[in-house]
Amino acid sequence: MTATTRTGTRTGTRTGTRTGGTTRTAAGTKARATGPARTALPGAPAPTPAPALVVVAHGSRDPRALSTVRALLGEVRALRPALPVHLGHIELNEPLLPDTLGALGDAEPAVLVPLLLSRGHHVTRDIPEMAGAFPARTRVAAPLGPHPLLVDALHARLLEAGWPARVPADGAVVLASAGSRDPQSRAGTARTATHLAARLGVPVLPAYASAAAPTVPEAVRALTARGYRRVAVASCFTAPGRFATECAAAAPWIVSAPLGTHPAMARLLLHRYDEALRTVGTAARRAALVP
């Protein structure tokens, strides 16, 4: 290692360099210097590539949905350029998930991250069954919600729609989501509503476009009957589509846009990807300790 070189002036300014080490700047902060590139030792195995990220969207007949999802994947690739990112749909849009998995090949591992906002039949049954039909080594990550990053995106979209900075005394929010018969899905949406209520400081009532109660119009009427005159609808949808449009039409005041390409959504997809890798790694380490 080369010795540290210091030059000084009467004002006490110091600069230092250290090859492959740490540089202390005049402001006293530390910055990691770029050292020589590491080369693999002869005969050493090549580094294992990271598993691909397969974003699993539901699919929609609304053309805006596909363009929104593709733009969101562009944001994910921008955040992590070296990571292979693919798209697969459960239905209605191409590429379908089976086609994406078939194109991966037998040897390429992948993490499937549902572009869904709560746990339900698609997460617990449909996606694992589709993945199980292919020899590719895959694992299914958790859905995007509930999570603080999802609340960040919901809050930001409400502010964009005109939610006031000063909390209205007669304000409340209906959290509109797709809905599911699976109780896990409703429980997840309820948790997201609770976290959003804590962020906003007003009541937030979950409601659904289908398969569960209350509906958005029912939730609006319930809050109005309790004296809330300014009831906003927070769209808990990843992209425009029939459900988002129908719920927006029931809003008596402001309605937020679908979450789409909000920066928190791209970060959340990568968080679920990383989380799935950590979970598998922890399980493998625990298994190695079993005699």
Side-chain angles (χ1 to χ4, degrees), residues 52-60 66 69 73 85-105 108-116 121-141:
L53 164 60
V54 178
V55 176
V56 185
H58 182 277
S60 172
L66 181 56
V69 171
L73 264 63
V85 179
H86 307 280
L87 173 62
H89 291 92
I90 297 171
E91 58 182 2
L92 299 176
N93 289 123
E94 294 181 348
L96 293 171
L97 179 57
D99 296 331
T100 300
L101 294 175
L104 285 178
E108 185 176 356
V111 176
L112 279 55
V113 180
L115 189 59
L116 302 169
H121 188 82
H122 289 315
V123 175
T124 59
R125 294 288 300 277
D126 291 340
I127 297 175
E129 287 178 1
M130 290 181 187
F134 291 85
R137 292 175 292 136
T138 60
R139 63 203 70 165
V140 180

Side-chain angles (χ1 to χ4, degrees), residues 3 5 25 27 47 68 85 88 93 104 136 143 158 166 240 274-275 277 285:
T5 302
T25 64
T68 299
V85 179
N93 289 123
L104 285 178
L158 278 171
R166 184 174 182 179
D274 294 335
E275 184 180 62
L277 291 182
R285 288 192 295 272

